[in-house]
Amino acid sequence: MRAIQITEFGGPEVLTPTELPDPEPGPGEILVDVARSGVNYADTHQAENTYLAPSTLPMVPGAEIAGRTADGRRVVGLLTGGGGYAEKASADPNTLFEIPEGVSDEAALALVVQGATAWVLLRKNVRMEPGESVVVHAAAGGVGTLAVQLAKHFGAGRVIAVASSEEKRKLALDLGADAAVDSAAPDMTAALIEANEGRRVDVVLDMVGGRVTDESVRALAPFGRLAFYGMASREQPKSVQLPNLMRFSTTVSGMWLPHAWLLPGDVVGGAMREMFALVAEGRLRPVLGQSYPLSEARRAHEDLRGRGTVGKLTLDTSA
């Protein structure tokens, strides 16, 4: 089968097209013929070996697949051990979801990690309440575009989108954001408070890190919550100190989606069913970005890291 393999850690240049034997499903796993592979920002960390879970070489990256099982079912799923950038993948049936009619493979891929991430952040991490203000950083990205819409669906009083270009900010406004802020604002604290009509904000969803995290925490109202789920800047925040959290009654939490499968009550399955229904009804619009041939995975990572992309990126295994 055709696949993308990494034999040394590094940037996009380490993503190498190759031919590999078909994977052998482990105990309880099934083989999926992959039609589309999802590209997620976490994949860039996996290639560098800077992800939360350490990587082992050689490896086939990628955690998101959409395709068909041997019995013909259309499925989308999360691969906890990687292997998604390939024509075939072994998957745990517990992390696969049947794609309903009216939902495309690409839309399903936008939901399985990025949609579920947005849902869990809002429902479990920050426990957003109706009427609260919500800041979404990287609002034109895969998680951000869905978080903007889900926050409005869950009853947010005001959604503030942060993005790096006028085009991206317009997209966020079109998706339902009430205000948009330039991610290059010299003082993010002041910019967020101004966008919230002079009031401190209740909730921040942050995957940037560094200065942006520090200044977003300072924009929180008493009992405000910031949920941290990535570090695109590769910079550590400095201001998240215990005395500061107590002084301003602030909550800062982290989220890594695989932990959501450990929650009782099939949380991820419930999130997927809710989002599938919203998509089928036209009430949730996954923003679909560029689709690249499988062999051009390197270019997909370059574009993603260069912040030149909008929406969900996919790899087409047939191209």
Side-chain angles (χ1 to χ4, degrees):
M1 68 172 186
R2 294 187 306 129
I4 300 296
Q5 189 178 55
I6 294 174
T7 58
E8 60 178 323
F9 294 121
E13 72 281 355
V14 304
L15 301 173
T16 305
T18 189
E19 290 281 340
L20 295 175
D22 290 356
E24 294 284 343
E29 293 184 331
I30 61 174
L31 194 64
V32 177
D33 288 320
V34 179
R36 290 283 194 280
S37 303
V39 180
N40 199 13
Y41 206 92
D43 300 346
T44 69
H45 287 286
Q46 192 178 39
E48 295 176 328
N49 201 25
T50 58
Y51 194 46
L52 291 173
S55 303
T56 303
L57 297 176
M59 63 174 293
V60 174
E64 310 162 358
I65 58 167
R68 288 192 181 271
T69 61
D71 58 4
R73 291 177 297 127
R74 285 179 66 227
V75 295
V76 65
L78 177 67
L79 307 177
T80 56
Y85 290 11
E87 292 180 309
K88 296 180 184 292
S90 296
D92 180 347
N94 294 317
T95 62
L96 293 177
F97 306 94
E98 289 200 40
I99 304 173
E101 291 297 323
V103 179
S104 68
D105 288 350
E106 293 85 352
L109 279 170
L111 300 179
V112 70
V113 168
Q114 291 159 325
T117 294
W119 193 99
V120 171
L121 286 167
L122 289 165
R123 286 300 203 202
K124 293 295 182 181
N125 280 77
V126 302
R127 299 183 183 273
M128 191 207 92
E129 297 181 5
E132 290 190 313
S133 55
V134 178
V135 173
V136 180
H137 285 289
V143 174
T145 52
L146 292 163
V148 166
Q149 297 176 77
L150 288 173
K152 295 298 287 187
H153 176 68
F154 296 155
R158 190 167 178 83
V159 174
I160 300 162
V162 183
S164 60
S165 70
E166 184 176 348
E167 178 187 10
K168 291 181 177 182
R169 293 190 290 275
K170 182 180 183 303
L171 171 63
L173 293 169
D174 290 343
L175 292 173
D178 299 287
V181 169
D182 189 342
S183 61
D187 184 340
M188 185 60 68
T189 301
L192 294 181
I193 293 172
E194 180 182 357
N196 199 35
E197 301 178 321
R199 301 182 300 273
R200 293 184 175 273
V201 300
D202 299 304
V203 166
V204 176
L205 307 185
D206 176 30
M207 53 79 68
V208 181
R211 175 186 72 87
V212 168
T213 301
D214 291 333
E215 295 182 1
S216 297
V217 168
R218 289 195 284 270
L220 287 169
F223 297 100
R225 291 91 69 204
L226 180 144
F228 187 72
Y229 66 100
M231 197 162 60
S233 70
R234 269 70 174 177
E235 297 176 358
Q236 293 280 353
K238 299 176 182 178
S239 67
V240 182
Q241 304 292 331
L242 292 180
N244 289 338
L245 301 184
M246 184 174 66
R247 183 176 297 119
F248 299 106
S249 297
T250 300
T251 297
V252 175
S253 65
M255 198 278 280
W256 189 34
L257 187 62
H259 290 146
W261 263 271
L262 304 178
L263 294 171
D266 190 23
V267 169
V268 177
M272 291 298 293
R273 288 187 290 273
E274 180 178 356
M275 290 187 292
F276 278 147
L278 290 171
V279 170
E281 295 165 4
R283 299 166 62 195
L284 179 65
R285 177 165 70 94
V287 176
L288 305 181
Q290 188 167 346
S291 179
Y292 301 77
L294 178 64
S295 61
E296 295 185 19
R298 170 178 177 169
R299 183 161 65 91
H301 277 225
E302 289 171 344
D303 292 349
L304 188 61
R305 292 186 61 156
R307 304 184 75 173
T309 66
V310 172
K312 182 62 185 174
L313 306 186
T314 60
L315 301 177
D316 182 352
T317 62
S318 68

